[in-house]
């Protein structure tokens, strides 16, 4: 026997069907968007440099004394430190942490391995100002490898503050909010370690996201990112750079850097 279904029941069924179809259409739109966003934790120094600033050659060997260095993160895995040492690399930074949610699983091999072949080494933190406060991230960094010791071969920690690989370039912050976040990190790091952290950044990002703030230059060494024959214009306040990341396609590992001075200046920064 046929059963007649009431109008309201049919209406509810159609309404549910409509909701399901709408949800499916939203889900189908997500994969393409998600595919463009790397997973949290995968960020590394210079991740946005090529996209935003491009590459304009490499530096020409000059008369000023400079010391070759590298920076590494989890995407390099276990690094051939003896090969890098033989090629003339004398200092290295390894990514220790990101936000308050990620630590580099290769950090011990990279941080200790560079030290064991004779390099002067340091650790860096990839900042995500949209996730937690600057103080929280500085504490997380120090607690997960970003500390400092007066052994003559450990560099002060570096704050990697650059384009957001997971969203809006300035992490949803105004320029004044970004400056406050950075200050919060730097103040906490110094309170924990007794050292002023190095700031790694690119001039174009710094101008866009801090309004070209110049107040950190007096105490915090500058590590500038620019893939070109020269460093170009520096962020406001800094009259010189301490380190320069000049390429992401160097030998053995991609990210190569030059310290603005001979090896004794690298040692001086380590000694504080």
């Amino acid at each position: 026997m046929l059963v007649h279904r009431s109008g309201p029941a049919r209406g509810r069924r159609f309404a549910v069907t409509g909701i399901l179809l709408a949800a499916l259409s939203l889900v189908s739109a997500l994969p393409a968007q998600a595919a463009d966003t790397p997973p949290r934790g995968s960020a590394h120094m210079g991740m946005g440099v090529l996209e935003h600033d491009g590459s304009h050659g490499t530096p020409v060997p000059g008369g000023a004394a400079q010391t070759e260095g590298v920076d590494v993160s989890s995407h390099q895995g276990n690094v051939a430190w003896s090969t890098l040492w033989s090629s003339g690399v004398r200092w290295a930074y390894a990514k220790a942490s990101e936000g308050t949610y990620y630590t580099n699983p290769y950090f011990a091999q990279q941080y200790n391995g560079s030290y064991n072949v004779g390099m002067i080494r340091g650790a860096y933190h990839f900042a995500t100002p949209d996730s937690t406060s600057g103080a929280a991230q500085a504490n997380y960094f120090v607690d997960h490898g970003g500390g400092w010791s007066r052994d003559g071969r450990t560099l002060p920690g570096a704050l990697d503050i650059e384009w957001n690989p997971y969203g809006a370039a300035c992490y949803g912050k105004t320029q004044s909010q970004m400056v406050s976040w950075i200050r919060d990190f730097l103040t906490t790091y110094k309170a924990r370690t007794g050292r002023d952290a190095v700031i790694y950044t690119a001039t174009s990002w710094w101008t866009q996201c801090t309004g070209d703030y110049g107040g950190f230059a007096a105490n915090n060494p500058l590590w500038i990112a620019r893939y070109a024959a020269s460093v170009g214009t520096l962020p406001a306040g800094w009259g010189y750079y301490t380190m320069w990341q000049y390429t992401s396609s160097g030998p053995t590992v991609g990210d190569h850097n030059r310290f603005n001075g001979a090896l004794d200046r690298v040692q001086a920064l380590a000694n504080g």
Side-chain angles (χ1 to χ4, degrees):
M1 181 176 70
L2 293 174
V3 178
H4 176 72
R5 299 193 181 276
S6 64
R10 267 202 316 273
R12 284 194 297 272
R13 189 168 68 251
F14 291 148
V16 171
T17 302
I19 291 169
L20 288 172
L21 288 172
L24 286 170
S25 67
L26 285 173
V27 170
S28 67
L30 287 176
Q33 186 177 20
D36 294 335
T37 304
R40 287 271 178 176
S42 63
H44 55 85
M45 273 188 173
M47 195 167 185
V49 173
L50 285 173
E51 178 184 352
H52 295 275
D53 281 353
S55 179
H56 308 282
T58 54
V60 177
Q66 294 188 319
T67 309
E68 191 76 6
V70 295
D71 60 271
V72 295
S73 63
S74 63
H75 75 280
Q76 272 98 12
N78 291 322
V79 175
W81 290 111
S82 58
T83 301
L84 285 165
W85 176 266
S86 297
S87 72
V89 173
R90 292 296 178 263
W91 60 274
Y93 268 87
K95 179 182 177 181
S97 54
E98 176 178 321
T100 51
Y101 51 79
Y102 173 86
T103 56
N104 175 10
Y106 294 94
F107 179 71
Q109 192 276 344
Q110 296 173 349
Y111 190 69
N112 297 328
S114 55
Y115 184 91
N116 289 339
V117 298
M119 293 184 192
I120 301 173
R121 50 77 192 274
Y124 79 85
H125 175 81
F126 192 95
T128 56
D130 58 338
S131 62
T132 44
S133 71
Q137 293 193 30
N139 282 317
Y140 188 83
F141 177 43
V142 174
D143 292 341
H144 293 88
W148 176 76
S149 59
R150 194 183 296 274
D151 60 4
R153 289 178 53 200
T154 300
L155 294 160
L159 173 65
D160 179 358
I161 185 79
E162 57 176 295
W163 297 276
N164 178 9
Y166 312 118
C170 300
Y171 299 86
K173 294 195 175 295
T174 65
Q175 293 172 341
S176 61
Q177 288 172 338
M178 184 63 76
V179 169
S180 295
W181 192 96
I182 295 170
R183 183 182 295 112
D184 197 25
F185 183 100
L186 298 175
T187 300
T188 304
Y189 185 82
K190 185 168 186 178
R192 288 287 307 273
T193 66
R195 293 299 307 270
D196 288 302
V198 174
I199 294 177
Y200 168 97
T201 196
T203 300
S204 61
W205 183 91
W206 192 263
T207 300
Q208 177 186 355
C209 297
T210 74
D212 222 12
Y213 179 75
F216 300 127
N219 297 312
N220 299 96
L222 173 65
W223 188 348
I224 190 70
R226 188 164 188 262
Y227 303 162
S230 67
V231 296
T233 303
L234 299 179
W238 282 282
Y240 63 92
Y241 67 91
T242 298
M243 291 169 275
W244 170 22
Q245 186 190 60
Y246 66 87
T247 185
S248 61
S249 55
T252 308
V253 300
D255 295 352
H256 275 248
N257 306 266
R258 289 185 173 178
F259 194 97
N260 193 8
L263 183 60
D264 66 326
R265 303 318 304 157
V266 186
Q267 293 167 333
L269 180 60
N271 288 322

